[in-house]
Amino acid sequence: MRMLMPWIVGAIVLLVLPIFFGGRSQLTIMSQMSITVVFALAYNMLLGQGGMLSFGHAVYMGMGSFLCLHVMNMSSFGSFPLPLLPLLGGVFGLLFAIIIGSFSTRSAGTVFAMISLGIGELMAALVLIVTVFFGGEEGISGYRDEGLPFFGIEFISNLEVYYLIAIWMFIAVALMYLFSRTPVGRMANAVRDNPERAEFLGYSARRVRFVSFAVSGFFCGVAGGLSAILFEIATESDLNVTASGVILLVAFLGGIGFFWGPIIGAVVFTLLQTVLGLQTHLWELYLGVVFVGMVMFFPAGLSGIIMAHVPAAKMGKLGTLVGPYLTCVLPGILGGLGLAALIEMIFHVRSGAEGEHHMVLFWIDFSTHDVLPWLVALAVAVIGIGLAVRNAPNFKAAWENASTLPEAA
Amino acid sequence: MTSALELINLRKSFGQTEIIRGVDLSIAPGERHAIIGPNGAGKSTLFNLITGRFPQTAGVVELNGQNLAGKAPFEINRLGLSRSFQITNIFPKMTVFENVRCSLLWSRGYQYSFWNLVSNSQELTEAADAILEQINLTSRRNLPAGVLSYAEQRALEIGITIAGGANVIMLDEPTAGMSHSETDYITDLIMKVTEGKTLIMVEHDMGVVFGLADKISVLVYGEIIATGAPEEVRANPRVQEAYLGAAMEAH
């Protein structure tokens, strides 16, 4: 029962989210989030669970997406229920992964990474060449509501689409979790840690990698099918190397060490992309800074940071961390926001329309030709970051104290 | 009766250099056989040839009468041969328990299935815990294997090696780099867990060799110059000349 709790809570959250976020764009964002969750977890099946770094994984999602759009454009689509479409995408992703995986999973490491990069580039180039299947630069588009109504639902409204995607996401996550608990899923970890040892336990490292790769391809294809349903279009940008890079970033941001890490990564990334993306043109800059900082200082990702608090919580010492958080982490965040404000103001002055001096930042309306806003932003940045740096040793000491057992008396 | 392991004129060259120069060896089922020899004699290479880590240049390796030529390590393992490594070779990020449980999967018939959940198998959990009990790591069960002490990791490595139930066990320098008390501990452990199995080991520590082995082979420059019971080998003048003299007197 305790093991089922996170799943029940997750299902309820998915169910009630539209009550709080019912707007059209909010529903779209949540649908997009769900798709990214499926894709990121499928990706992490390789990276985190199997130790295979792929630079071309958008290919399998993209292929699923294109195939599903072709199905949507068939005259017989009218007799096909839309909710089953992602399954076709999954099967197509699986078949494609079986073909590529049959030679790319011979070894992990650099060889695998380079093959995946090559396949990624190859497919992106093919999109523009094989226009019959990929539709060239315009891509392929279709209409989801032309399918067979499913118990009367035609999936015209965003809410219906959200629930369809959320249910698929829930099932896919559960299946991927169960896969990680099967013998071959467990051996994927063993092969990741030490392929040679795994061979001397009776398992072919190559076969274990191949199975993981194929299963991952299936779930990527499912994500592709969901994407076809949500956006009703697939283009080159869905399967190029940039798209593959993004999913690597998402998985890393959330943390590849825990099964659920990429879920957090997908949620945070989609929020940054959509919400922050609406506020500023520079969101990718901030994302890049966050990503580099993450890889350098917290390679275990957001899930790693969360789990690092567990020992302290178990010893009942979480309270001792509140002070250090307030004196170090909070000023650091404020300082970072101050720095971001400076960057935004410079960007506004350099790239804003001629004669346009007014800008709104953090809900404050001001003129970039006044001195005060610059001074305020500079002061917040310098004081905030200065405080954070000054209190960092304290924070570190408190952290170590909270997460280690007291010396035996 | 077929030998557990039979080597016939086994040879291995790396480029121009012949490292293993025609080894003939027959090891009976249930025997505890130690392979000793000076550094660079080719002991580890011999191990790697037998276990399929390298292909041989010429000659035959037979396990229970079955030719191992061209077989990959995982295939050889499935035929009932398991080995440990000179350098500790475990799964560092997985827990101690999972290390052992993974070693059980193939031999218990789980293979590549994805319709079984390993945590649901009472049988697997009990078997893994029984092995942890045997190697005295029960108290470390849920720690990542990478944080164990060196001696504990060596014990875990032995646990992984025997877990699959293979009846031919090969240990490559199981006590390398250990203190006296740790060596005694591992020696007792090996004695206990290889009961009734064929044991082949490479070892430098003569105390361990004479304590454990029924038979000893001496490998010098890729050739076996003597094979026999410990007392015979000890008395063999060629062995004394080539290698053992000093070590024997010290013993």
Side-chain angles (χ1 to χ4, degrees):
Chain A
M1 195 59 205
R2 255 190 73 221
M3 281 177 62
L4 284 178
M5 268 326 269
W7 299 95
I8 296 169
V9 171
I12 294 173
V13 168
L14 287 175
L15 205 62
V16 301
L17 266 179
I19 299 174
F20 303 102
F21 304 100
R24 274 179 66 92
S25 62
Q26 288 165 334
L27 286 170
T28 306
I29 289 172
M30 292 189 303
S31 304
Q32 198 182 333
M33 215 177 255
S34 305
I35 295 170
T36 313
V37 165
V38 176
F39 188 23
L41 282 178
Y43 182 76
N44 202 44
M45 207 177 254
L46 295 189
L47 181 61
Q49 314 279 336
M52 284 174 276
L53 174 59
S54 168
F55 288 119
H57 227 54
V59 165
Y60 307 96
M61 175 166 168
M63 291 304 276
S65 211
F66 274 104
L67 178 93
C68 287
L69 279 156
H70 280 295
V71 173
M72 282 157 88
N73 284 329
M74 282 177 185
S75 53
S76 53
F77 183 51
S79 54
F80 187 86
L82 187 77
L84 292 184
L85 194 60
L87 198 61
L88 286 186
V91 171
F92 198 54
L94 172 71
L95 290 177
F96 208 69
I98 286 175
I99 296 168
I100 305 296
S102 65
F103 58 87
S104 76
T105 53
R106 191 187 301 244
S107 63
T110 316
V111 179
F112 175 84
M114 290 304 111
I115 293 177
S116 73
L117 185 63
I119 300 289
E121 290 284 8
L122 180 88
M123 291 308 296
L126 277 184
V127 171
L128 302 178
I129 297 167
V130 187
T131 47
V132 182
F133 186 78
F134 297 107
E137 281 182 23
E138 294 144 47
I140 300 282
S141 48
Y143 298 97
R144 61 176 173 242
D145 49 5
E146 287 174 1
L148 180 74
F150 187 71
F151 295 109
I153 305 169
E154 288 181 67
F155 299 102
I156 295 168
S157 82
N158 289 40
L159 187 66
E160 288 163 355
V161 171
Y162 163 78
Y163 277 121
L164 172 63
I165 291 176
I167 289 169
W168 259 105
M169 187 265 272
F170 189 83
I171 294 171
V173 171
L175 288 178
M176 282 189 269
Y177 179 77
L178 289 178
F179 175 78
S180 75
R181 307 285 121 182
T182 62
V184 70
R186 298 280 81 196
M187 285 314 290
N189 286 359
V191 168
R192 169 200 69 196
D193 275 13
N194 194 338
E196 179 163 58
R197 197 64 177 107
E199 291 252 329
F200 285 101
L201 296 179
Y203 279 88
S204 155
R206 181 177 178 178
R207 178 91 180 265
V208 171
R209 284 193 209 103
F210 174 70
V211 173
S212 297
F213 192 85
V215 174
S216 168
F218 174 80
F219 287 105
C220 288
V222 168
L226 294 174
S227 162
I229 291 174
L230 178 64
F231 297 113
E232 300 181 304
I233 186 167
T235 64
E236 190 256 356
S237 66
D238 285 322
L239 54 61
N240 64 16
V241 176
T242 310
S244 298
V246 165
I247 205 63
L248 166 63
L249 195 146
V250 169
F252 232 100
L253 188 68
I256 61 171
F258 297 96
F259 172 82
W260 46 274
I263 300 180
I264 298 185
V267 171
V268 171
F269 176 84
T270 313
L271 281 178
L272 282 176
Q273 186 185 26
T274 52
V275 178
L276 196 62
L278 283 178
Q279 303 297 323
T280 166
H281 293 293
L282 300 177
W283 74 275
E284 282 177 308
L285 171 73
Y286 303 125
L287 182 70
V289 171
V290 169
F291 181 64
V292 172
M294 206 79 186
V295 173
M296 284 178 68
F297 301 111
F298 309 102
L302 292 171
S303 60
I305 294 178
I306 294 171
M307 290 309 279
H309 289 81
V310 169
K314 274 190 181 155
M315 288 181 277
K317 292 205 268 191
L318 219 46
T320 63
L321 287 174
V322 174
Y325 260 106
L326 288 179
T327 56
C328 179
V329 177
L330 185 66
I333 292 173
L334 289 176
L337 291 177
L339 202 61
L342 279 177
I343 294 170
E344 287 293 324
M345 283 155 73
I346 294 170
F347 181 73
H348 191 267
V349 169
R350 300 291 303 171
S351 322
E354 194 78 21
E356 170 69 8
H357 298 160
H358 273 276
M359 72 179 289
V360 179
L361 203 59
F362 302 126
W363 307 278
I364 305 166
D365 196 337
F366 59 91
S367 163
T368 53
H369 276 212
D370 289 347
V371 180
L372 186 66
W374 293 88
L375 284 181
V376 171
L378 189 67
V380 171
V382 170
I383 295 173
I385 293 173
L387 274 176
V389 170
R390 204 181 66 116
N391 291 329
N394 276 343
F395 181 76
K396 212 175 156 202
W399 179 258
E400 269 160 22
N401 173 45
S403 47
T404 45
L405 281 166
E407 294 288 319
Chain B
M1 188 167 63
T2 15
S3 321
L5 191 73
E6 182 93 40
L7 309 182
I8 306 162
N9 194 23
L10 190 65
R11 286 172 188 276
K12 176 69 184 177
S13 308
F14 291 100
Q16 295 288 312
T17 323
E18 197 168 42
I19 300 294
I20 299 296
R21 305 188 300 166
V23 167
D24 292 285
L25 186 62
S26 176
I27 295 171
E31 188 174 309
R32 294 166 193 276
H33 199 111
I35 297 170
I36 61 173
N39 281 327
K43 302 184 295 289
S44 285
T45 307
L46 188 64
F47 251 52
N48 290 334
L49 289 180
I50 296 169
T51 55
R53 210 179 182 196
F54 305 150
Q56 69 258 42
T57 309
V60 177
V61 180
E62 279 179 1
L63 178 70
N64 303 321
Q66 209 162 357
N67 192 343
L68 299 185
K71 288 204 167 26
F74 65 88
E75 293 167 309
I76 294 174
N77 179 268
R78 292 174 196 172
L79 293 174
L81 182 150
S82 184
R83 71 167 290 181
S84 75
F85 292 79
Q86 192 175 354
I87 298 161
T88 307
N89 217 339
I90 53 175
F91 305 110
K93 288 189 220 154
M94 295 165 29
T95 65
V96 171
F97 173 74
E98 288 220 46
N99 265 269
V100 175
R101 190 169 62 182
C102 274
S103 342
L104 290 165
L105 289 175
W106 189 273
S107 59
R108 305 263 162 165
Y110 285 89
Q111 309 198 352
Y112 297 105
S113 63
F114 41 81
W115 45 89
N116 286 303
L117 294 181
V118 287
S119 52
N120 284 359
S121 165
Q122 191 87 25
E123 181 211 358
L124 272 179
T125 308
E126 278 169 10
D129 278 332
I131 285 168
L132 286 181
E133 196 67 49
Q134 264 191 310
I135 57 175
N136 298 321
L137 288 179
T138 305
S139 61
R140 299 282 191 254
R141 186 179 190 271
N142 297 319
L143 288 177
V147 307
L148 297 187
S149 74
Y150 179 70
E152 286 172 331
Q153 291 192 0
R154 297 300 299 187
L156 176 59
E157 166 118 35
I158 290 172
I160 293 173
T161 307
I162 57 143
N167 47 36
V168 178
I169 305 287
M170 299 182 65
L171 304 178
D172 195 353
E173 297 201 25
T175 70
M178 287 193 176
S179 69
H180 274 300
S181 60
E182 288 170 339
T183 300
D184 291 345
Y185 168 68
I186 291 287
T187 310
D188 287 345
L189 182 64
I190 295 171
M191 201 67 158
K192 189 168 80 176
V193 299
T194 58
E195 195 72 59
K197 298 181 179 191
T198 310
L199 172 70
I200 303 155
M201 63 173 190
V202 165
E203 183 55 59
H204 274 298
D205 188 317
M206 288 306 139
V208 177
V209 170
F210 284 96
L212 274 176
D214 312 325
K215 267 193 169 180
I216 296 176
S217 291
V218 184
L219 190 71
V220 179
Y221 293 120
E223 284 174 306
I224 288 185
I225 60 166
T227 295
E231 294 316 313
E232 292 166 37
V233 171
R234 202 197 288 251
N236 186 318
R238 267 189 84 193
V239 173
Q240 287 182 359
E241 183 192 348
Y243 162 65
L244 273 177
M248 285 292 99
E249 276 156 32
H251 187 65

